[in-house]
Structures are given as structure tokens and as C-alpha cells.
Amino acid sequence: MSTISQPNSDCRMYEARFPEIDTPVMIQVKEIGDVATHVALLEYNNIEGMILLSDLSRRRIRSVGSLIKVGRIEPAMVLRVNAEKGYIDLSKKRLSEQDIQVCEERYSKSKLVHSIMRHVSETMSVDLEDLYIHVGWPLYRKYGHAYEAFKAIVNDPDSVLKPLTRELKEIGADGKEVIKAVPAISEDVKDALVRNIRRRMTPQPLKIRADIEMKCFEYDGVLHIKEAMRKAEAVSTKECPVKMKLVAAPAYVINTQTLDKEQGIKVLNQAIAACTNSIERHKGKLTIKEPPRAVSEREDKLLAEQMAYLDRQNAEVSGDEDSEAEEDTGMGSVDLESTSSSGIGD
């Protein structure tokens, strides 16, 4: 691919210069006037569009500020397109919930693709539109969305990128011009593109967690709880390893890490069922406080900090073996590696 000293790093995301009528697009509000709101179409290199105030809402407008704000990014429906004059009229009130969902999902994928393409353009000093013409837009046509092609590139870049070519004109030995097909991008640009795609799009494991309470008042209750925890962990699969930990009696967490959110939730529900069945056979009880769900890094960090704090508290009183209060703390020292029995769950 040819290089230029100051490559153009501005380009629309899609091959069409203008959106189609009755298509939802993502816009950013630039200015709110007396009769219309001026917006930029983010997927089309920020070309200008306009929303009449009468197209903001189906309901009577009491305050424009409650419906739209400068700087806000949101979907809008394309009503009219004048390609010659560059006029685009849009509407918010024509949007359905499905339109909003489709637009947000498409924009999220397109924004990631665009970010990768722009980074390659800037770091490799290649023209962004040229990169789209020979790589991005052909992949949109073939895969429906370049995002799907990029996902395939993570594991098998050659199968996606090798078929892409560009035409190169040369003067043959006889002095006549000949056209030959060459790779769409040079090896160094290809390597940069693959490297960036893998860095940004390699799937990261999700953390799935459920919060439960478990009690057992039967003799040897600690042992029965340990057995129930083992039953929960026995549900593990290679893709979804299950771990169960004590937080502070009677609170426990069951968690897994997986690339497949739905599969992770399914496995944790199976683990909870196995744990429930085991503890109830010994007249114990399991209560789900929070069902299986994906947790953020922040939630995971807060749990780790809570457990570390409780560990420090336990360490401070661990030397007080004769304390009656400690004897009645219940299941506070339960873990699957320990075989000692410290009490009965409260």
C-alpha cells in the first residue's frame, strides 16, 4: 500500500457516502436552535444532519432540554437525504425500541473496527480511506460487517486477508500497460492490522458469580457443608471451572470464568442445584441471595477486599482458643482444603 507523508486519518465507516432513508444512525448533538437541532452523523465522518423540533418526540414538548442535549450521542432515524446539497433530515420520534437496539449494536461494532483501522492508518502512515477501500469495505460486503471478519482474523488472518487484492497497472516488456492483481496491503501493514485486531478483539474470560447463604444445624454440619461445596465444584467443565468460597458464615460465593456468558450461568445454576441437593439431604438450607450473573472487575475487587478484611479479623482472634464467642461463630473457618471442624453454621 502506498504511503504518504501526512496520511488522511478521516473517513466514514461505511462504503456509502450517505445513509439510506428509514435507517437508524448514531448522531451527536452539536447545536439546538429555535426550530431545529443540528447534529453530526458519527458513522458518516460527522456530516451534518438536522432534526426539526417537531420530530423530537411523539408527545407534546414542554422542554427541549429534557429531550436532547448538546454533546449527547444517541440514535436517530433518517427521513430524507439530499446527496447533492448534503442535507439529511432525521427524526427521533420515528425510532422504535428495536431500531434503537439495532443501531446501538451496529455502532458499537463499527466504532471498534474504525478505531483499529484509524490506529493502523496513523502508525503505519497509510491513508485511512485507502485502507477502507481495499480492506474494510470489501470485508463489510463479504461478512455483513467488518467486525465479523475481524473476529475471524484473530485465529486465522490469512483466510480472511489473502483473498483481498488490488489492481496494479504496469508497463509490460512490449510497452503496453498491463493490469495485475497484488495483495491489498503490504506485509508490514497486514502485520500491524492483525496485531491490533488480536490485541483489541481476543475474547477475555467473563467472571460469573452467584452469592448464596448455606446453613446446616445437624451434627457434623461443617463436614456436610464441605461436602456440598465439593458437589458444587464437581459440576466444573473444562470451559467453566467452578470454585466455591466462604465469605463469612453463612455467606458463600460460587464463581467461574468463561468466554461464554450463557454457558457460565448455566453451569453455576447446575452447581447451585448440586449444592442444594447435597445440603438438604442433611436437613441444611441453601438460599440464593444473588443469582448467577456476570460481574465487573470492580465488583470482583470489592469482594476480594471484603474477604481480605475478614481474614485479617480472623487472624487477630485466632490465638484466643478459649473464647466461648469464637466457639459459637459457626462456619467461619470452612474451606475445602481444611479437614478441621470449627462449629455449626448459624
Side-chain angles (χ1 to χ4, degrees), residues 291-308:
R293 77 277 185 203
V295 292
S296 65
E297 287 186 16
R298 181 175 179 276
E299 289 175 288
D300 205 47
K301 184 180 179 182
L302 288 174
L303 176 64
E305 290 174 351
Q306 180 186 0
M307 294 179 72

Side-chain angles (χ1 to χ4, degrees), residues 109-124:
K109 293 178 180 179
S110 303
K111 186 169 66 170
L112 177 57
V113 168
H114 196 67
S115 174
I116 292 170
M117 296 280 280
R118 173 173 279 178
H119 184 76
V120 171
S121 165
E122 292 173 348
T123 57
M124 300 304 294

Side-chain angles (χ1 to χ4, degrees), residues 18-192:
F18 297 94
E20 294 183 3
I21 295 173
D22 294 330
T23 300
V25 295
M26 195 64 75
I27 56 98
Q28 183 173 32
V29 180
K30 293 299 183 181
E31 182 184 352
I32 301 174
D34 293 334
V35 295
T37 295
H38 297 275
V39 302
L41 278 67
L42 299 181
E43 297 154 288
Y44 293 87
N45 201 25
N46 297 316
I47 58 175
E48 186 178 317
M50 185 174 66
I51 305 176
L52 294 175
L53 296 189
S54 58
D55 278 309
L56 285 178
S57 174
R58 290 189 177 92
R59 294 173 293 180
R60 183 176 178 182
I61 300 175
R62 296 182 179 274
S63 170
V64 174
S66 65
L67 296 174
I68 201 159
K69 297 185 187 306
V70 172
R72 182 183 290 174
I73 295 174
E74 56 189 308
M77 182 66 74
V78 178
L79 297 181
R80 289 171 289 275
V81 176
N82 186 325
E84 291 182 3
K85 296 183 179 180
Y87 293 157
I88 302 173
D89 294 330
L90 305 116
S91 170
K92 277 190 63 184
K93 72 179 184 181
R94 296 277 191 94
L95 285 171
S96 67
E97 287 299 319
Q98 184 178 4
D99 292 329
I100 293 172
Q101 183 179 349
V102 167
C103 184
E104 289 177 345
E105 288 179 359
R106 185 193 65 226
Y107 178 66
S108 177
K109 293 178 180 179
S110 303
K111 186 169 66 170
L112 177 57
V113 168
H114 196 67
S115 174
I116 292 170
M117 296 280 280
R118 173 173 279 178
H119 184 76
V120 171
S121 165
E122 292 173 348
T123 57
M124 300 304 294
S125 294
V126 295
D127 185 88
L128 180 57
E129 186 168 359
D130 195 46
L131 194 59
Y132 263 112
I133 289 170
H134 295 99
V135 177
W137 294 333
L139 293 180
Y140 268 99
R141 291 194 298 268
K142 183 175 179 179
Y143 289 82
H145 199 294
Y147 178 87
E148 302 304 323
F150 280 18
K151 283 202 303 184
I153 286 173
V154 170
N155 295 315
D156 189 4
D158 285 344
S159 69
V160 178
L161 296 175
K162 262 193 173 181
L164 301 179
T165 60
R166 64 165 65 212
E167 293 183 347
L168 183 66
K169 295 179 180 179
E170 290 183 347
I171 303 299
D174 57 0
K176 294 183 178 180
E177 185 178 80
V178 294
I179 299 175
K180 57 187 290 188
V182 298
I185 48 178
S186 64
E187 279 299 314
D188 58 340
V189 174
K190 173 187 169 184
D191 290 344

